[in-house]
Amino acid sequence: MTAPNSKVAIVTGASRGIGAEIAKQLASDDFAVAVNFASSATEASKLVVQLRQAGHQAIAVKADVSVAADVSRMFDEVEAQLGKVDVLINNAGILQVMPLAQHSDELFDRTFAINTRGTFNTLREAANRLNDGGSIVNFSSSTVGLNLPGYSVYIASKAAVESLTQVFAKELRGRRITVNAVAPGPVATELFMHGKSEEQVQHYAKMPPLERLGQPEDIASIVSFLVSPAAGWVNGQILRANGGLV
Ligand code: NAP
């Protein structure tokens, strides 16, 4: 059962995939959890019901992370319902695999709006709103190290997230807030599976020496560590989690 004075965590893009698993993990770590979503309201409320039935404190909060006013309102709602925020997990992200030459302006803008500006928006809000002693985990991708064809714009949007992470960790000097990023390799979620044949999925699964796809639980346990006192000395780092792929 979550104690009434639990620390408070926001997980962006928590309606499914890695974010939903992080929300479950942080709830069982005794955080009161805000499950953010942009459009998947049904999935987000199902998850909140599941967490509450297990005795945890959880709310669903609709906000498009690419819109600064939404992000500000999300912090207002979380503060009003759960209390001041201790932990921010910037998990929301999109991927569309497309050779650079075929990328539309719209897809370029959308990828940067959600992956990069979305992270920027929540970090800027967190600068004034996060409790001292808190922690932030951003989401990059191991594709930044692989330079895979078809991933140029996605990789560029995530490379920018890595830079934001490293500089922001330094800008929060004196606040005892850690800022790190996790950079997963292929994880079996909708984002990765979409548009791939079984053969392509198997190809990716065989790439790391551990010879399997990552599971959302593999990533959630790393996030759990990064926001725990055990990781209090890890700051400004990019942690690649990919079974040894790169
Ligand atoms: P996913 O299954 O597609 O889930 C993405 C989540 O982000 C959904 O809950 C979605 O909710 C939310 N979202 C999308 N746009 C949003 C917006 N504008 N505002 C708020 N929420 C938004 O993806 P995933 O695989 O779990 O990926 C999670 C993170 O890990 C991403 O940052 C991704 O780049 C990164 N990553 C994933 C992999 C992989 O192989 N899966 C590898 C490396 C890195 P709505 O439906 O409500 O929009």
Side-chain angles (χ1 to χ4, degrees), residues 12-19 36-40 63-66 90-94 114 139-142 154 158 184-187 189-192:
T12 69
S15 56
R16 61 168 184 272
I18 296 171
N36 160 252
F37 66 96
S39 52
S40 304
D64 179 342
V65 294
S66 70
N90 271 318
N91 163 82
I94 59 162
I114 296 174
F139 266 74
S140 178
S141 163
S142 289
Y154 176 74
K158 292 297 192 178
V187 178
T189 67
E190 217 168 293
L191 176 140
F192 169 75

PDB file of all heavy atoms in Angstrom, residues 12-19 36-40 63-66 90-94 114 139-142 154 158 184-187 189-192, ligand 1:
ATOM      1  N   THR A  12       5.992  10.360 -18.370  1.00  0.00           N
ATOM      2  CA  THR A  12       5.339  10.789 -19.611  1.00  0.00           C
ATOM      3  C   THR A  12       5.208   9.596 -20.551  1.00  0.00           C
ATOM      4  O   THR A  12       6.029   8.673 -20.533  1.00  0.00           O
ATOM      5  CB  THR A  12       6.100  11.947 -20.305  1.00  0.00           C
ATOM      6  OG1 THR A  12       7.339  11.449 -20.821  1.00  0.00           O
ATOM      7  CG2 THR A  12       6.341  13.111 -19.362  1.00  0.00           C
ATOM      8  N   GLY A  13       4.134   9.616 -21.349  1.00  0.00           N
ATOM      9  CA  GLY A  13       3.892   8.519 -22.292  1.00  0.00           C
ATOM     10  C   GLY A  13       3.766   7.191 -21.586  1.00  0.00           C
ATOM     11  O   GLY A  13       4.378   6.195 -21.984  1.00  0.00           O
ATOM     12  N   ALA A  14       2.926   7.165 -20.544  1.00  0.00           N
ATOM     13  CA  ALA A  14       2.846   5.951 -19.713  1.00  0.00           C
ATOM     14  C   ALA A  14       1.608   5.119 -20.002  1.00  0.00           C
ATOM     15  O   ALA A  14       1.288   4.200 -19.257  1.00  0.00           O
ATOM     16  CB  ALA A  14       2.906   6.334 -18.236  1.00  0.00           C
ATOM     17  N   SER A  15       0.918   5.401 -21.102  1.00  0.00           N
ATOM     18  CA  SER A  15      -0.302   4.635 -21.392  1.00  0.00           C
ATOM     19  C   SER A  15       0.008   3.231 -21.900  1.00  0.00           C
ATOM     20  O   SER A  15      -0.848   2.346 -21.847  1.00  0.00           O
ATOM     21  CB  SER A  15      -1.173   5.385 -22.406  1.00  0.00           C
ATOM     22  OG  SER A  15      -0.441   5.671 -23.577  1.00  0.00           O
ATOM     23  N   ARG A  16       1.218   3.013 -22.411  1.00  0.00           N
ATOM     24  CA  ARG A  16       1.583   1.669 -22.897  1.00  0.00           C
ATOM     25  C   ARG A  16       3.107   1.539 -22.945  1.00  0.00           C
ATOM     26  O   ARG A  16       3.825   2.489 -22.610  1.00  0.00           O
ATOM     27  CB  ARG A  16       0.991   1.411 -24.289  1.00  0.00           C
ATOM     28  CG  ARG A  16       1.471   2.371 -25.341  1.00  0.00           C
ATOM     29  CD  ARG A  16       1.099   1.940 -26.756  1.00  0.00           C
ATOM     30  NE  ARG A  16       1.691   2.868 -27.708  1.00  0.00           N
ATOM     31  CZ  ARG A  16       1.119   3.980 -28.126  1.00  0.00           C
ATOM     32  NH1 ARG A  16      -0.071   4.316 -27.681  1.00  0.00           N
ATOM     33  NH2 ARG A  16       1.741   4.770 -28.985  1.00  0.00           N
ATOM     34  N   GLY A  17       3.556   0.364 -23.395  1.00  0.00           N
ATOM     35  CA  GLY A  17       4.981   0.140 -23.654  1.00  0.00           C
ATOM     36  C   GLY A  17       5.869   0.339 -22.433  1.00  0.00           C
ATOM     37  O   GLY A  17       5.502  -0.004 -21.309  1.00  0.00           O
ATOM     38  N   ILE A  18       7.035   0.917 -22.671  1.00  0.00           N
ATOM     39  CA  ILE A  18       8.035   1.085 -21.606  1.00  0.00           C
ATOM     40  C   ILE A  18       7.486   1.985 -20.492  1.00  0.00           C
ATOM     41  O   ILE A  18       7.662   1.693 -19.304  1.00  0.00           O
ATOM     42  CB  ILE A  18       9.343   1.676 -22.202  1.00  0.00           C
ATOM     43  CG1 ILE A  18       9.965   0.696 -23.212  1.00  0.00           C
ATOM     44  CG2 ILE A  18      10.334   1.997 -21.096  1.00  0.00           C
ATOM     45  CD1 ILE A  18      11.133   1.264 -24.023  1.00  0.00           C
ATOM     46  N   GLY A  19       6.783   3.062 -20.884  1.00  0.00           N
ATOM     47  CA  GLY A  19       6.272   4.010 -19.886  1.00  0.00           C
ATOM     48  C   GLY A  19       5.305   3.359 -18.916  1.00  0.00           C
ATOM     49  O   GLY A  19       5.355   3.611 -17.703  1.00  0.00           O
ATOM     50  N   ASN A  36       1.033   9.904 -17.498  1.00  0.00           N
ATOM     51  CA  ASN A  36       0.731  10.873 -18.563  1.00  0.00           C
ATOM     52  C   ASN A  36       0.443  10.162 -19.887  1.00  0.00           C
ATOM     53  O   ASN A  36       1.030   9.127 -20.184  1.00  0.00           O
ATOM     54  CB  ASN A  36       1.916  11.841 -18.738  1.00  0.00           C
ATOM     55  CG  ASN A  36       1.904  12.540 -20.095  1.00  0.00           C
ATOM     56  OD1 ASN A  36       2.715  12.250 -20.964  1.00  0.00           O
ATOM     57  ND2 ASN A  36       0.945  13.424 -20.296  1.00  0.00           N
ATOM     58  N   PHE A  37      -0.478  10.750 -20.647  1.00  0.00           N
ATOM     59  CA  PHE A  37      -0.768  10.246 -22.000  1.00  0.00           C
ATOM     60  C   PHE A  37      -1.169  11.448 -22.852  1.00  0.00           C
ATOM     61  O   PHE A  37      -1.520  12.506 -22.329  1.00  0.00           O
ATOM     62  CB  PHE A  37      -1.906   9.215 -21.954  1.00  0.00           C
ATOM     63  CG  PHE A  37      -3.226   9.813 -21.540  1.00  0.00           C
ATOM     64  CD1 PHE A  37      -4.162  10.210 -22.495  1.00  0.00           C
ATOM     65  CD2 PHE A  37      -3.513  10.026 -20.201  1.00  0.00           C
ATOM     66  CE1 PHE A  37      -5.366  10.782 -22.121  1.00  0.00           C
ATOM     67  CE2 PHE A  37      -4.718  10.617 -19.812  1.00  0.00           C
ATOM     68  CZ  PHE A  37      -5.645  10.995 -20.777  1.00  0.00           C
ATOM     69  N   ALA A  38      -1.138  11.252 -24.183  1.00  0.00           N
ATOM     70  CA  ALA A  38      -1.580  12.322 -25.091  1.00  0.00           C
ATOM     71  C   ALA A  38      -2.943  11.991 -25.673  1.00  0.00           C
ATOM     72  O   ALA A  38      -3.846  12.809 -25.692  1.00  0.00           O
ATOM     73  CB  ALA A  38      -0.558  12.537 -26.195  1.00  0.00           C
ATOM     74  N   SER A  39      -3.106  10.747 -26.159  1.00  0.00           N
ATOM     75  CA  SER A  39      -4.399  10.388 -26.759  1.00  0.00           C
ATOM     76  C   SER A  39      -4.982   9.067 -26.253  1.00  0.00           C
ATOM     77  O   SER A  39      -6.181   8.856 -26.384  1.00  0.00           O
ATOM     78  CB  SER A  39      -4.270  10.361 -28.292  1.00  0.00           C
ATOM     79  OG  SER A  39      -3.186   9.538 -28.643  1.00  0.00           O
ATOM     80  N   SER A  40      -4.163   8.194 -25.681  1.00  0.00           N
ATOM     81  CA  SER A  40      -4.665   6.869 -25.274  1.00  0.00           C
ATOM     82  C   SER A  40      -5.288   6.912 -23.878  1.00  0.00           C
ATOM     83  O   SER A  40      -4.778   6.291 -22.924  1.00  0.00           O
ATOM     84  CB  SER A  40      -3.536   5.843 -25.322  1.00  0.00           C
ATOM     85  OG  SER A  40      -2.958   5.817 -26.593  1.00  0.00           O
ATOM     86  N   ALA A  63      -1.771  15.215 -21.366  1.00  0.00           N
ATOM     87  CA  ALA A  63      -0.959  16.368 -21.771  1.00  0.00           C
ATOM     88  C   ALA A  63      -0.103  15.957 -22.949  1.00  0.00           C
ATOM     89  O   ALA A  63       0.526  14.890 -22.916  1.00  0.00           O
ATOM     90  CB  ALA A  63      -0.058  16.831 -20.624  1.00  0.00           C
ATOM     91  N   ASP A  64      -0.113  16.785 -23.983  1.00  0.00           N
ATOM     92  CA  ASP A  64       0.793  16.571 -25.114  1.00  0.00           C
ATOM     93  C   ASP A  64       2.119  17.236 -24.732  1.00  0.00           C
ATOM     94  O   ASP A  64       2.177  18.469 -24.602  1.00  0.00           O
ATOM     95  CB  ASP A  64       0.169  17.221 -26.366  1.00  0.00           C
ATOM     96  CG  ASP A  64       1.054  17.079 -27.594  1.00  0.00           C
ATOM     97  OD1 ASP A  64       2.264  16.808 -27.442  1.00  0.00           O
ATOM     98  OD2 ASP A  64       0.535  17.254 -28.712  1.00  0.00           O
ATOM     99  N   VAL A  65       3.158  16.436 -24.559  1.00  0.00           N
ATOM    100  CA  VAL A  65       4.423  16.998 -24.053  1.00  0.00           C
ATOM    101  C   VAL A  65       5.038  18.021 -25.006  1.00  0.00           C
ATOM    102  O   VAL A  65       5.876  18.829 -24.592  1.00  0.00           O
ATOM    103  CB  VAL A  65       5.471  15.900 -23.721  1.00  0.00           C
ATOM    104  CG1 VAL A  65       5.015  15.045 -22.552  1.00  0.00           C
ATOM    105  CG2 VAL A  65       5.833  15.064 -24.938  1.00  0.00           C
ATOM    106  N   SER A  66       4.613  18.004 -26.269  1.00  0.00           N
ATOM    107  CA  SER A  66       5.179  18.978 -27.218  1.00  0.00           C
ATOM    108  C   SER A  66       4.576  20.373 -27.045  1.00  0.00           C
ATOM    109  O   SER A  66       5.046  21.326 -27.650  1.00  0.00           O
ATOM    110  CB  SER A  66       4.981  18.489 -28.660  1.00  0.00           C
ATOM    111  OG  SER A  66       3.612  18.553 -29.017  1.00  0.00           O
ATOM    112  N   ASN A  90      11.027  11.232 -18.539  1.00  0.00           N
ATOM    113  CA  ASN A  90      10.677  11.742 -19.865  1.00  0.00           C
ATOM    114  C   ASN A  90      10.698  10.623 -20.889  1.00  0.00           C
ATOM    115  O   ASN A  90      11.596  10.533 -21.723  1.00  0.00           O
ATOM    116  CB  ASN A  90      11.681  12.824 -20.275  1.00  0.00           C
ATOM    117  CG  ASN A  90      11.230  14.179 -19.814  1.00  0.00           C
ATOM    118  OD1 ASN A  90      10.052  14.516 -19.903  1.00  0.00           O
ATOM    119  ND2 ASN A  90      12.154  14.959 -19.307  1.00  0.00           N
ATOM    120  N   ASN A  91       9.664   9.778 -20.832  1.00  0.00           N
ATOM    121  CA  ASN A  91       9.641   8.573 -21.667  1.00  0.00           C
ATOM    122  C   ASN A  91       8.908   8.774 -22.997  1.00  0.00           C
ATOM    123  O   ASN A  91       9.186   8.057 -23.965  1.00  0.00           O
ATOM    124  CB  ASN A  91       8.993   7.447 -20.845  1.00  0.00           C
ATOM    125  CG  ASN A  91       8.551   6.294 -21.700  1.00  0.00           C
ATOM    126  OD1 ASN A  91       9.344   5.436 -22.059  1.00  0.00           O
ATOM    127  ND2 ASN A  91       7.269   6.268 -22.064  1.00  0.00           N
ATOM    128  N   ALA A  92       7.964   9.733 -23.062  1.00  0.00           N
ATOM    129  CA  ALA A  92       7.145   9.884 -24.284  1.00  0.00           C
ATOM    130  C   ALA A  92       8.039  10.073 -25.507  1.00  0.00           C
ATOM    131  O   ALA A  92       8.998  10.838 -25.477  1.00  0.00           O
ATOM    132  CB  ALA A  92       6.205  11.080 -24.137  1.00  0.00           C
ATOM    133  N   GLY A  93       7.724   9.345 -26.572  1.00  0.00           N
ATOM    134  CA  GLY A  93       8.523   9.498 -27.783  1.00  0.00           C
ATOM    135  C   GLY A  93       7.858   8.805 -28.953  1.00  0.00           C
ATOM    136  O   GLY A  93       6.980   7.951 -28.771  1.00  0.00           O
ATOM    137  N   ILE A  94       8.252   9.197 -30.152  1.00  0.00           N
ATOM    138  CA  ILE A  94       7.745   8.539 -31.359  1.00  0.00           C
ATOM    139  C   ILE A  94       8.909   8.174 -32.279  1.00  0.00           C
ATOM    140  O   ILE A  94       9.984   8.769 -32.210  1.00  0.00           O
ATOM    141  CB  ILE A  94       6.747   9.436 -32.149  1.00  0.00           C
ATOM    142  CG1 ILE A  94       7.404  10.760 -32.570  1.00  0.00           C
ATOM    143  CG2 ILE A  94       5.486   9.671 -31.353  1.00  0.00           C
ATOM    144  CD1 ILE A  94       6.660  11.472 -33.684  1.00  0.00           C
ATOM    145  N   ILE A 114       7.957  16.140 -30.406  1.00  0.00           N
ATOM    146  CA  ILE A 114       7.645  15.238 -29.285  1.00  0.00           C
ATOM    147  C   ILE A 114       8.927  14.784 -28.572  1.00  0.00           C
ATOM    148  O   ILE A 114       9.058  14.911 -27.361  1.00  0.00           O
ATOM    149  CB  ILE A 114       6.815  14.029 -29.780  1.00  0.00           C
ATOM    150  CG1 ILE A 114       5.461  14.532 -30.315  1.00  0.00           C
ATOM    151  CG2 ILE A 114       6.610  13.005 -28.662  1.00  0.00           C
ATOM    152  CD1 ILE A 114       4.584  13.483 -30.959  1.00  0.00           C
ATOM    153  N   PHE A 139      14.831   9.934 -22.055  1.00  0.00           N
ATOM    154  CA  PHE A 139      14.931   8.764 -22.939  1.00  0.00           C
ATOM    155  C   PHE A 139      15.623   9.088 -24.250  1.00  0.00           C
ATOM    156  O   PHE A 139      15.130   9.850 -25.071  1.00  0.00           O
ATOM    157  CB  PHE A 139      13.558   8.131 -23.182  1.00  0.00           C
ATOM    158  CG  PHE A 139      13.315   7.024 -22.208  1.00  0.00           C
ATOM    159  CD1 PHE A 139      13.024   7.317 -20.884  1.00  0.00           C
ATOM    160  CD2 PHE A 139      13.469   5.697 -22.576  1.00  0.00           C
ATOM    161  CE1 PHE A 139      12.875   6.301 -19.950  1.00  0.00           C
ATOM    162  CE2 PHE A 139      13.309   4.674 -21.651  1.00  0.00           C
ATOM    163  CZ  PHE A 139      13.008   4.975 -20.336  1.00  0.00           C
ATOM    164  N   SER A 140      16.796   8.463 -24.431  1.00  0.00           N
ATOM    165  CA  SER A 140      17.477   8.486 -25.715  1.00  0.00           C
ATOM    166  C   SER A 140      17.263   7.116 -26.357  1.00  0.00           C
ATOM    167  O   SER A 140      16.265   6.438 -26.078  1.00  0.00           O
ATOM    168  CB  SER A 140      18.964   8.797 -25.516  1.00  0.00           C
ATOM    169  OG  SER A 140      19.629   8.782 -26.767  1.00  0.00           O
ATOM    170  N   SER A 141      18.189   6.680 -27.199  1.00  0.00           N
ATOM    171  CA  SER A 141      18.075   5.385 -27.867  1.00  0.00           C
ATOM    172  C   SER A 141      19.475   4.909 -28.247  1.00  0.00           C
ATOM    173  O   SER A 141      20.342   5.733 -28.597  1.00  0.00           O
ATOM    174  CB  SER A 141      17.227   5.549 -29.137  1.00  0.00           C
ATOM    175  OG  SER A 141      17.424   4.440 -29.993  1.00  0.00           O
ATOM    176  N   SER A 142      19.696   3.603 -28.194  1.00  0.00           N
ATOM    177  CA  SER A 142      20.990   3.059 -28.608  1.00  0.00           C
ATOM    178  C   SER A 142      21.239   3.263 -30.104  1.00  0.00           C
ATOM    179  O   SER A 142      22.368   3.087 -30.572  1.00  0.00           O
ATOM    180  CB  SER A 142      21.091   1.569 -28.271  1.00  0.00           C
ATOM    181  OG  SER A 142      21.209   1.375 -26.883  1.00  0.00           O
ATOM    182  N   TYR A 154      15.144  10.498 -36.240  1.00  0.00           N
ATOM    183  CA  TYR A 154      14.908   9.990 -34.870  1.00  0.00           C
ATOM    184  C   TYR A 154      16.204  10.079 -34.057  1.00  0.00           C
ATOM    185  O   TYR A 154      16.201  10.580 -32.925  1.00  0.00           O
ATOM    186  CB  TYR A 154      14.421   8.552 -34.971  1.00  0.00           C
ATOM    187  CG  TYR A 154      14.222   7.833 -33.655  1.00  0.00           C
ATOM    188  CD1 TYR A 154      13.136   8.115 -32.831  1.00  0.00           C
ATOM    189  CD2 TYR A 154      15.118   6.845 -33.235  1.00  0.00           C
ATOM    190  CE1 TYR A 154      12.940   7.433 -31.633  1.00  0.00           C
ATOM    191  CE2 TYR A 154      14.931   6.159 -32.043  1.00  0.00           C
ATOM    192  CZ  TYR A 154      13.841   6.459 -31.245  1.00  0.00           C
ATOM    193  OH  TYR A 154      13.646   5.771 -30.063  1.00  0.00           O
ATOM    194  N   LYS A 158      17.101  12.305 -30.665  1.00  0.00           N
ATOM    195  CA  LYS A 158      17.541  11.684 -29.409  1.00  0.00           C
ATOM    196  C   LYS A 158      18.955  12.144 -29.017  1.00  0.00           C
ATOM    197  O   LYS A 158      19.276  12.231 -27.827  1.00  0.00           O
ATOM    198  CB  LYS A 158      17.498  10.159 -29.531  1.00  0.00           C
ATOM    199  CG  LYS A 158      16.082   9.593 -29.652  1.00  0.00           C
ATOM    200  CD  LYS A 158      15.262   9.868 -28.411  1.00  0.00           C
ATOM    201  CE  LYS A 158      13.968   9.067 -28.385  1.00  0.00           C
ATOM    202  NZ  LYS A 158      13.184   9.297 -27.149  1.00  0.00           N
ATOM    203  N   PRO A 184      17.780   2.802 -24.594  1.00  0.00           N
ATOM    204  CA  PRO A 184      17.534   1.373 -24.847  1.00  0.00           C
ATOM    205  C   PRO A 184      17.897   0.964 -26.282  1.00  0.00           C
ATOM    206  O   PRO A 184      17.840   1.783 -27.198  1.00  0.00           O
ATOM    207  CB  PRO A 184      16.018   1.220 -24.646  1.00  0.00           C
ATOM    208  CG  PRO A 184      15.552   2.466 -23.968  1.00  0.00           C
ATOM    209  CD  PRO A 184      16.514   3.537 -24.386  1.00  0.00           C
ATOM    210  N   GLY A 185      18.216  -0.321 -26.428  1.00  0.00           N
ATOM    211  CA  GLY A 185      18.252  -0.942 -27.754  1.00  0.00           C
ATOM    212  C   GLY A 185      16.825  -1.391 -28.063  1.00  0.00           C
ATOM    213  O   GLY A 185      15.879  -0.983 -27.372  1.00  0.00           O
ATOM    214  N   PRO A 186      16.637  -2.232 -29.084  1.00  0.00           N
ATOM    215  CA  PRO A 186      15.280  -2.668 -29.446  1.00  0.00           C
ATOM    216  C   PRO A 186      14.524  -3.294 -28.271  1.00  0.00           C
ATOM    217  O   PRO A 186      15.039  -4.201 -27.617  1.00  0.00           O
ATOM    218  CB  PRO A 186      15.516  -3.724 -30.528  1.00  0.00           C
ATOM    219  CG  PRO A 186      16.868  -3.445 -31.063  1.00  0.00           C
ATOM    220  CD  PRO A 186      17.663  -2.817 -29.953  1.00  0.00           C
ATOM    221  N   VAL A 187      13.327  -2.755 -28.013  1.00  0.00           N
ATOM    222  CA  VAL A 187      12.466  -3.249 -26.937  1.00  0.00           C
ATOM    223  C   VAL A 187      11.137  -3.640 -27.574  1.00  0.00           C
ATOM    224  O   VAL A 187      10.597  -2.901 -28.410  1.00  0.00           O
ATOM    225  CB  VAL A 187      12.241  -2.168 -25.854  1.00  0.00           C
ATOM    226  CG1 VAL A 187      11.311  -2.687 -24.762  1.00  0.00           C
ATOM    227  CG2 VAL A 187      13.573  -1.716 -25.249  1.00  0.00           C
ATOM    228  N   THR A 189       7.965  -3.359 -28.049  1.00  0.00           N
ATOM    229  CA  THR A 189       6.772  -2.517 -27.848  1.00  0.00           C
ATOM    230  C   THR A 189       6.221  -2.159 -29.227  1.00  0.00           C
ATOM    231  O   THR A 189       6.869  -2.414 -30.252  1.00  0.00           O
ATOM    232  CB  THR A 189       7.126  -1.195 -27.141  1.00  0.00           C
ATOM    233  OG1 THR A 189       7.945  -0.420 -28.030  1.00  0.00           O
ATOM    234  CG2 THR A 189       7.852  -1.412 -25.831  1.00  0.00           C
ATOM    235  N   GLU A 190       5.056  -1.513 -29.202  1.00  0.00           N
ATOM    236  CA  GLU A 190       4.418  -1.058 -30.442  1.00  0.00           C
ATOM    237  C   GLU A 190       5.371  -0.203 -31.289  1.00  0.00           C
ATOM    238  O   GLU A 190       5.463  -0.355 -32.500  1.00  0.00           O
ATOM    239  CB  GLU A 190       3.205  -0.223 -30.055  1.00  0.00           C
ATOM    240  CG  GLU A 190       2.017  -0.402 -30.957  1.00  0.00           C
ATOM    241  CD  GLU A 190       0.802   0.240 -30.308  1.00  0.00           C
ATOM    242  OE1 GLU A 190       0.352  -0.265 -29.255  1.00  0.00           O
ATOM    243  OE2 GLU A 190       0.309   1.229 -30.875  1.00  0.00           O
ATOM    244  N   LEU A 191       6.100   0.702 -30.597  1.00  0.00           N
ATOM    245  CA  LEU A 191       7.007   1.620 -31.302  1.00  0.00           C
ATOM    246  C   LEU A 191       8.031   0.864 -32.137  1.00  0.00           C
ATOM    247  O   LEU A 191       8.295   1.198 -33.283  1.00  0.00           O
ATOM    248  CB  LEU A 191       7.711   2.528 -30.281  1.00  0.00           C
ATOM    249  CG  LEU A 191       8.776   3.497 -30.795  1.00  0.00           C
ATOM    250  CD1 LEU A 191       8.665   4.847 -30.083  1.00  0.00           C
ATOM    251  CD2 LEU A 191      10.186   2.952 -30.611  1.00  0.00           C
ATOM    252  N   PHE A 192       8.583  -0.226 -31.580  1.00  0.00           N
ATOM    253  CA  PHE A 192       9.598  -0.996 -32.297  1.00  0.00           C
ATOM    254  C   PHE A 192       8.975  -1.954 -33.304  1.00  0.00           C
ATOM    255  O   PHE A 192       9.445  -2.094 -34.434  1.00  0.00           O
ATOM    256  CB  PHE A 192      10.468  -1.778 -31.303  1.00  0.00           C
ATOM    257  CG  PHE A 192      11.354  -2.792 -31.973  1.00  0.00           C
ATOM    258  CD1 PHE A 192      12.490  -2.396 -32.673  1.00  0.00           C
ATOM    259  CD2 PHE A 192      11.039  -4.147 -31.957  1.00  0.00           C
ATOM    260  CE1 PHE A 192      13.292  -3.321 -33.325  1.00  0.00           C
ATOM    261  CE2 PHE A 192      11.834  -5.078 -32.603  1.00  0.00           C
ATOM    262  CZ  PHE A 192      12.960  -4.672 -33.295  1.00  0.00           C
TER     263      PHE A 192
HETATM  264  P1  NAP B   1       5.284   3.212 -27.429  1.00  0.00           P
HETATM  265  O1  NAP B   1       4.943   1.826 -27.031  1.00  0.00           O
HETATM  266  O2  NAP B   1       4.937   3.691 -28.799  1.00  0.00           O
HETATM  267  O3  NAP B   1       4.628   4.213 -26.352  1.00  0.00           O
HETATM  268  C1  NAP B   1       4.820   5.590 -26.504  1.00  0.00           C
HETATM  269  C2  NAP B   1       4.077   6.329 -25.431  1.00  0.00           C
HETATM  270  O4  NAP B   1       4.316   7.737 -25.628  1.00  0.00           O
HETATM  271  C3  NAP B   1       2.587   6.120 -25.469  1.00  0.00           C
HETATM  272  O5  NAP B   1       2.125   5.995 -24.139  1.00  0.00           O
HETATM  273  C4  NAP B   1       2.043   7.410 -26.104  1.00  0.00           C
HETATM  274  O6  NAP B   1       0.766   7.727 -25.577  1.00  0.00           O
HETATM  275  C5  NAP B   1       3.071   8.418 -25.594  1.00  0.00           C
HETATM  276  N1  NAP B   1       3.140   9.641 -26.388  1.00  0.00           N
HETATM  277  C6  NAP B   1       3.374   9.769 -27.724  1.00  0.00           C
HETATM  278  N2  NAP B   1       3.337  11.063 -28.075  1.00  0.00           N
HETATM  279  C7  NAP B   1       3.091  11.770 -26.934  1.00  0.00           C
HETATM  280  C8  NAP B   1       2.952  13.142 -26.643  1.00  0.00           C
HETATM  281  N3  NAP B   1       3.037  14.077 -27.592  1.00  0.00           N
HETATM  282  N4  NAP B   1       2.706  13.513 -25.358  1.00  0.00           N
HETATM  283  C9  NAP B   1       2.591  12.586 -24.369  1.00  0.00           C
HETATM  284  N5  NAP B   1       2.717  11.264 -24.597  1.00  0.00           N
HETATM  285  C10 NAP B   1       2.962  10.865 -25.865  1.00  0.00           C
HETATM  286  O7  NAP B   1       6.854   3.495 -27.251  1.00  0.00           O
HETATM  287  P2  NAP B   1       7.967   2.759 -26.337  1.00  0.00           P
HETATM  288  O8  NAP B   1       8.633   1.753 -27.161  1.00  0.00           O
HETATM  289  O9  NAP B   1       7.399   2.394 -25.020  1.00  0.00           O
HETATM  290  O10 NAP B   1       9.013   3.951 -26.179  1.00  0.00           O
HETATM  291  C11 NAP B   1       9.178   4.706 -25.003  1.00  0.00           C
HETATM  292  C12 NAP B   1      10.452   5.545 -25.129  1.00  0.00           C
HETATM  293  O11 NAP B   1      11.574   4.683 -25.301  1.00  0.00           O
HETATM  294  C13 NAP B   1      10.463   6.500 -26.339  1.00  0.00           C
HETATM  295  O12 NAP B   1      11.047   7.725 -25.977  1.00  0.00           O
HETATM  296  C14 NAP B   1      11.320   5.771 -27.354  1.00  0.00           C
HETATM  297  O13 NAP B   1      11.934   6.642 -28.268  1.00  0.00           O
HETATM  298  C15 NAP B   1      12.321   5.104 -26.436  1.00  0.00           C
HETATM  299  N6  NAP B   1      12.967   3.928 -27.040  1.00  0.00           N
HETATM  300  C16 NAP B   1      12.229   2.835 -27.395  1.00  0.00           C
HETATM  301  C17 NAP B   1      12.874   1.754 -27.969  1.00  0.00           C
HETATM  302  C18 NAP B   1      12.116   0.517 -28.431  1.00  0.00           C
HETATM  303  O14 NAP B   1      12.710  -0.314 -29.123  1.00  0.00           O
HETATM  304  N7  NAP B   1      10.856   0.343 -28.080  1.00  0.00           N
HETATM  305  C19 NAP B   1      14.248   1.783 -28.174  1.00  0.00           C
HETATM  306  C20 NAP B   1      14.964   2.908 -27.795  1.00  0.00           C
HETATM  307  C21 NAP B   1      14.318   3.980 -27.213  1.00  0.00           C
HETATM  308  P3  NAP B   1      -0.470   8.226 -26.504  1.00  0.00           P
HETATM  309  O15 NAP B   1      -0.903   7.047 -27.319  1.00  0.00           O
HETATM  310  O16 NAP B   1      -1.469   8.675 -25.502  1.00  0.00           O
HETATM  311  O17 NAP B   1       0.072   9.343 -27.354  1.00  0.00           O
END
